[in-house]
Each structure stands twice: as structure tokens, then as C-alpha cells.
Amino acid sequence: MAGRTSSSAGLPLRAVGALLMLIVGPVALAIILFSAEGFDPVPIPDGFQSETVAVPARNDRLLLGSERVGEGLLPGPEDLAYDAEAGVVYTGCTDGWVKRVSIGESPAKVENWVYVGGRPLGVTIGGEGQLVVAEPYKGLLRVTQERNVELLTNEANGLPFRLTDEVDIAKNGVIYFTDASYKYSLDEYILDTFGGRPHGRLMSFDPSTNQTRVLVRDLYFANGVQVSPTQDFVLFCETSLRRCRKYHIQGEKNGTVEDFVDNLPGLPDNIHYDGEGHYWIALFSGRTLSVYIAMKYPIVRKLLITLSRYVTLPEFTDSGIIGIDMDGKPFALYKDHSLSSVTSGLKIGNYLYYGSLTKSYISRLDLTKHAAK
């Protein structure tokens, strides 16, 4: 019978197959690892592997009640900045435009407000109708009321920014922002996240002196930034470590760093204060089993980076938004297993708005109908 046929050397075909696997398997693995030469990931600090923080209320079907705002007109609305007086949301898109969305109208009106080029990420509203934009390739930009685009800064201590990410402005005019990585660009962000090394920085820029300062260095993919309503500290997120910390800018603790919230149920992106005593942190991905395994084992991350050069890897999933109180305690989690790449969340009135790196619209959830329980 065919299943019992022996090879010319007298070995059963099954044994030959096993022998070939013993030879071919390591060779194939060596080829894969060699093709990823130059990318040498290291173990992520132990904090990443910790169990997630408890959240008392949840909505695990965020997509079920979400509406789409500006569908087809907002390619990749990464961050959201709300102008309450005008009733509009500003967001940066993949086509290089900062767009203005009139959320009070039905349907919402979308306007190409100003072209900054590149791929604008963080946006925040400053004084005198100005907007400050974090553009990963160019640096920190200011858009005047006349819609003129000016470069504020693109390096600190002689080290250029590679991935200018998120930004916020204190009441005294000082701008706080992150350079997610001084080594990798936005197109290579996964190399920084999977690399396991700290290349991120929290910085400030003072328009009155044109001085750029590095406040905290050696961060693991420095991301979202939010000045506290009391103006005494700045919150910032480290995506790779699932945590957000605070940097004190006033008082006895000025210049020091403390923990704010860690062991988040996903990879944090932008963070926003809603004016009602709550922060909202976007979770780019949940702490899924695949993410856990990848972040735990450097060899897995190296294999994934190699494979990504030949095939498109699956998207991060189980994305959403988590609400945090003023003491750093989670109170509500909104997520969906099928949701991916949520980058910002902001509560405006009774709605929770959220942006994405990949969708062509802003999403919103009516909290009076779909609140976490």
C-alpha cells in the first residue's frame, strides 16, 4: 500500500519526512531570522506581562451602538480637538489635511481647514484661534488664525524628532508634546513597539523663548499628552508598557515623575480630559493573547517583523476607550473585539467620540443609550 512504501534507503516515508523536517525546519528558521538582520528585539520590562487593572463597568460591544460621522471624508482621523465655542472638532488625516468637522449639524459638515502636509497626528487648540499640530516627519507646527503653517521646533539637544506624536498646551502657553521615537519614523512604528527599547521623549516648547526642553527621556513609545486641569502636572502615555504617568510642572514635586495608571487592558494611545473630572484614554489594541505572546517573547516579534515584509499581518483588535477618574482609577471600558486601531477618545456632551488611524470617519456613541454597565 502507498502508506507503507519505503524509500530506496530502506526507511519508511514517514521517517524520511520527519528527518526532512528536522533539517529543513531549522534552516527555514535561520533564513527567517537572518532576513530580519538589524532588528534585534529585547524583552519588554516585566510590567507589560502583569494582569490588567479591574474596571467596574464595561461595554464590550462598542461597534453595536456607534454612528459614523463624516464617513468617506476623514481618512484616518487620528486625534480629536474640540472647540466648544464653534461646535467643531479638528482632526489630522492621512491626506495631510487638518479637517474641521461641525458635529452639531446633521449630517456633520466636513471642511478641509488647512493643509500641513505629511501625516498630522496630535492636534490641540491654542490661544487666538491658533492650532498646534504634531506632524511626525516635520516636527511641531503652529497654524495661525489666517491658516499659515509655521514650524516651531523639530529637534532637542541636537537630536531630531523622528515621530512627533501628541501635543497639549498649558494655560501659560507652554506646549507639551511627545516624540514617540527618536530612532524610528511613523512608517516604522512597529519596529519601535516590538523592539523593546526606550526611544521616546516627553518635551516642552516655550513660544516666549523658543526653547525646547527634554523633560523625560527613555520612554517606551511616548504617546498621548494631557495637561491637568489644575495645571500642575502633565499626563503622558507609554504605549509599549500599557501605562500612563504624570510629570509635575508646579509645586514641590516639580520635575519629578509619578505613576498615574498602569496595567491598562490594552496599548494606550492619546489621552484627553473632558472637563467633567474624567480622562479618556484610547486603546490602540487590547491585551489579546496574540499581543501578550508577541510582547513576551522577542523571538516571536522578530519572526513577525520578518513575515511583515512578505505578507500583511492581521490588525490589532479588541480596541476601544477607557475612562479614568482624577485619581487614576478606571471607571468604564468601551471596546469591541472586532474594533482595531482606535487612537483617540473624547466625551462631548452625551457622546463619546473616537478617532482611528485607519478608518475614513469619526465614530461616536450615545452614552445615554449605550453606557457601560
Side-chain angles (χ1 to χ4, degrees), residues 41-305:
V42 298
I44 302 290
D46 292 339
F48 185 90
Q49 309 304 336
S50 303
E51 293 299 320
T52 59
V53 65
V55 186
R58 304 168 65 102
N59 177 345
D60 292 325
R61 303 184 70 185
L62 176 58
L63 287 174
L64 184 62
S66 293
E67 307 171 60
R68 297 179 178 183
V69 178
E71 186 170 8
L73 302 175
L74 298 166
E78 199 270 350
D79 192 20
L80 308 175
Y82 179 53
D83 184 339
E85 292 185 5
V88 299
V89 167
Y90 293 92
T91 185
C93 296
T94 58
D95 56 7
W97 282 90
V98 172
K99 309 205 179 194
R100 185 162 62 179
V101 185
S102 300
I103 59 174
E105 300 183 31
S106 183
K109 178 183 177 183
V110 177
E111 173 191 2
N112 286 342
W113 189 67
V114 66
Y115 183 75
V116 299
R119 202 279 179 241
L121 294 177
V123 292
T124 191
I125 300 170
E128 301 177 353
Q130 299 183 10
L131 208 68
V132 176
V133 180
E135 203 293 308
Y137 305 102
K138 299 178 181 180
L140 198 65
L141 309 176
R142 175 169 56 199
V143 182
T144 68
Q145 194 170 21
E146 295 75 28
R147 307 190 193 185
N148 295 319
V149 181
E150 305 170 351
L151 175 65
L152 294 177
T153 179
N154 60 4
E155 67 173 21
N157 297 342
L159 190 62
F161 311 156
R162 292 295 303 276
L163 211 170
T164 324
D165 197 337
E166 181 56 12
V167 59
D168 197 21
I169 304 177
K171 290 182 179 178
N172 63 4
V174 176
I175 302 168
Y176 295 90
F177 65 104
T178 50
D179 180 23
S181 174
Y182 63 75
K183 182 175 182 179
Y184 295 105
S185 68
L186 178 62
D187 296 332
E188 306 167 311
Y189 82 91
I190 196 65
L191 296 178
D192 194 281
T193 306
F194 276 8
R197 292 182 172 85
H199 300 125
R201 297 178 287 175
L202 172 69
M203 291 172 285
S204 67
F205 176 80
D206 189 342
S208 66
T209 62
N210 288 329
Q211 182 181 17
T212 304
R213 294 179 57 209
V214 178
L215 306 177
V216 188
R217 64 184 73 246
D218 298 330
L219 301 177
Y220 289 82
F221 205 88
N223 211 320
V225 177
Q226 176 67 64
V227 179
S228 70
T230 52
Q231 304 291 297
D232 55 349
F233 61 85
V234 177
L235 295 177
F236 63 94
C237 297
E238 289 180 275
T239 299
S240 299
L241 296 189
R242 297 169 46 225
R243 70 182 182 185
C244 296
R245 294 196 284 170
K246 61 170 66 173
Y247 175 83
H248 292 274
I249 56 176
Q250 298 289 342
E252 295 181 356
K253 296 182 179 180
N254 185 23
T256 64
V257 177
E258 287 183 338
D259 293 336
F260 180 65
V261 59
D262 55 13
N263 299 329
L264 289 166
L267 307 178
D269 204 298
N270 290 326
I271 177 171
H272 290 296
Y273 180 66
D274 65 6
E276 301 175 353
H278 304 120
Y279 296 100
W280 296 90
I281 302 173
L283 301 177
F284 186 80
S285 166
R287 185 178 177 269
T288 61
L289 178 61
S290 57
V291 168
Y292 174 84
I293 292 174
M295 299 305 270
K296 183 175 178 63
Y297 300 106
I299 184 64
V300 174
R301 283 179 265 135
K302 190 160 188 172
L303 289 172
L304 288 172
I305 290 301

Side-chain angles (χ1 to χ4, degrees), residues 82 276 347-353 367:
Y82 179 53
E276 301 175 353
K347 182 178 181 292
I348 303 173
N350 293 325
Y351 289 92
L352 180 60
Y353 288 79
L367 297 178

